[in-house]
């Protein structure tokens, strides 16, 4: 009887040990394309707060705290804040493997993470171009839907941070490296999964690829230009002549209100 009790305690202790996840920094990777080995990396920290596991994701100066974390048997689940997406992973000593599920766009991407790795991108050479500054950028090069943006970056040694400013917003907090004449940038916040890969030519022009999530992809081209400005946002949206602006809604009293009503 005593042997059975000891065995039961041993099995219980072993099971509890298996579900205690590692603490510390990890390098997570979303595999956008398995055939091309196209990886979108990001760094996050796993820690325990008041006895419960928590995760903080880092993108340049942005910190995203994930507190909806569940450990069940050998599995780890965490729901991203604000956005409708989650991770479902199997936990192994020193690493985890699973998927990131974007419910709002109805797709999933293979995910893996290794504990103790802290380099977002791994440099290959010592020498590097300084990409600091302001860049006139064209996305969708050579297509009817091309658009303009301004790349604004600061570089400290090999680490590169910044964003692209567009006429409708920005491309979030980007972080990466300068590696020779190449730039590598990424960000992940639960909704936006962006990867930028570029290379500078002999004229100082950066040509590259922008990947967004599982299916988004377009070419981009960037040229140093401190004077370039985006269009005035008040000039972008205009009413069409001859077509009056009109809308209607139900107010708090359940009555239909319309801009065309006589009192307006």
């Amino acid at each position: 009887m005593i042997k059975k009790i000891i065995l039961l305690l041993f099995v219980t202790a072993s099971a509890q040990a298996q579900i205690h996840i590692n603490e510390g920094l990890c390098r997570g990777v979303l595999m956008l394309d398995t055939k091309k080995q196209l990886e979108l990396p990001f760094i996050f920290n796993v820690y325990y707060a008041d006895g419960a596991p928590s995760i903080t994701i880092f993108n340049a100066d942005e910190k995203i705290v994930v507190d909806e974390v569940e450990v069940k048997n050998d599995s780890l689940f965490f729901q991203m804040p604000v956005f409708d997406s989650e991770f479902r992973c199997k936990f192994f000593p020193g690493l985890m493997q699973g998927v990131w599920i974007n419910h709002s766009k109805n797709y999933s991407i293979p995910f893996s993470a290794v504990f103790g790795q802290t380099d977002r991108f791994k440099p290959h050479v010592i020498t590097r171009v300084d990409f600091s500054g302001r860049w006139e950028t064209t996305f969708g090069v050579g297509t009817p839907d091309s658009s303009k943006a301004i790349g604004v970056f600061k570089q400290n040694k090999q680490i590169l941070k910044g964003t692209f400013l567009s006429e409708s917003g920005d491309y979030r907090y980007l972080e990466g490296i300068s590696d020779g004449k190449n730039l590598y940038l990424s960000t992940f916040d639960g909704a936006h999964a962006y990867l930028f890969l570029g290379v500078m030519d002999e004229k100082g022009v950066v040509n590259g690829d922008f990947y967004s999530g599982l299916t988004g992809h377009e070419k981009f081209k960037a040229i140093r230009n401190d004077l370039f400005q985006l269009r005035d946002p008040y000039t972008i949206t205009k009413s069409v002549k001859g077509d009056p602006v009109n809308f209607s809604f139900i107010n708090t009293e359940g009555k239909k209100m319309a801009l065309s009503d006589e009192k307006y």
Side-chain angles (χ1 to χ4, degrees):
M1 183 65 180
I2 295 177
K3 290 183 178 180
K4 289 183 179 180
I5 294 174
I6 294 174
L7 179 60
L8 179 60
L9 291 173
F10 176 79
V11 171
T12 302
S14 298
Q16 290 176 343
Q18 288 173 358
I19 64 174
H20 185 88
I21 60 176
N22 297 66
E23 296 183 69
L25 292 174
C26 312
R27 181 178 186 264
V29 169
L30 295 174
M31 186 61 73
L32 303 184
D33 190 316
T34 305
K35 291 183 180 180
K36 296 180 180 179
Q37 289 295 291
L38 189 63
E39 297 182 347
L40 189 162
F42 60 96
I43 302 300
F44 62 96
N45 185 38
V46 179
Y47 58 98
Y48 279 81
D50 297 325
S54 295
I55 292 171
T56 298
I57 296 174
F58 303 99
N59 297 302
D61 297 327
E62 179 185 47
K63 296 180 181 179
I64 302 170
V65 177
V66 183
D67 53 17
E68 291 188 52
V69 182
E70 179 185 4
V71 178
K72 187 175 182 180
N73 297 326
D74 62 349
S75 298
L76 180 70
F77 308 92
F78 52 102
Q79 175 73 42
M80 293 300 299
V82 182
F83 304 113
D84 189 14
S85 72
E86 64 174 309
F87 287 85
R88 298 178 184 177
C89 311
K90 287 285 187 180
F91 176 71
F92 304 93
L95 60 91
M96 62 178 78
Q97 294 180 333
V99 294
W100 170 56
I101 304 172
N102 188 333
H103 294 290
S104 62
K105 294 189 176 180
N106 196 30
Y107 66 65
S108 62
I109 297 177
F111 167 76
S112 63
V114 178
F115 287 85
Q117 292 189 2
T118 58
D119 289 334
R120 196 180 194 96
F121 294 94
K122 300 174 183 178
H124 299 93
V125 297
I126 298 176
T127 58
R128 53 188 173 267
V129 170
D130 189 347
F131 290 98
S132 297
R134 191 179 180 92
W135 297 78
E136 176 184 350
T137 307
T138 304
F139 285 99
V141 176
T143 70
D145 297 325
S146 65
S147 60
K148 285 290 190 178
I150 300 174
V152 182
F153 297 103
K154 291 183 179 181
Q155 186 171 323
N156 182 10
K157 297 182 179 178
Q158 203 152 22
I159 303 301
L160 185 62
K161 298 179 181 180
T163 193
F164 290 98
L165 306 173
S166 73
E167 293 174 341
S168 59
D170 61 55
Y171 286 70
R172 310 306 301 156
Y173 295 86
L174 303 177
E175 182 175 350
I177 63 169
S178 167
D179 188 35
K181 294 184 177 182
N182 298 278
L183 69 80
Y184 302 89
L185 293 164
S186 68
T187 190
F188 175 77
D189 63 6
H192 308 92
Y194 292 164
L195 174 67
F196 297 84
L197 307 175
V199 60
M200 180 181 288
D201 65 19
E202 64 280 0
K203 296 181 180 180
V205 177
V206 177
N207 294 282
D209 295 273
F210 164 48
Y211 299 92
S212 175
L214 187 63
T215 58
H217 172 246
E218 58 184 348
K219 296 287 185 179
F220 75 89
K221 181 178 182 179
I223 303 170
R224 287 188 187 275
N225 188 347
D226 292 335
L227 302 179
F228 178 71
Q229 298 289 335
L230 298 173
R231 293 181 297 172
D232 185 335
Y234 291 103
T235 67
I236 298 174
T237 303
K238 298 179 180 179
S239 62
V240 178
K241 291 182 179 180
D243 293 337
V245 176
N246 193 23
F247 65 90
S248 62
F249 62 94
I250 305 299
N251 67 12
T252 56
E253 298 176 352
K255 297 179 180 180
K256 184 177 180 180
M257 310 291 289
L259 187 61
S260 59
D261 290 348
E262 185 177 349
K263 64 179 178 180
Y264 298 119

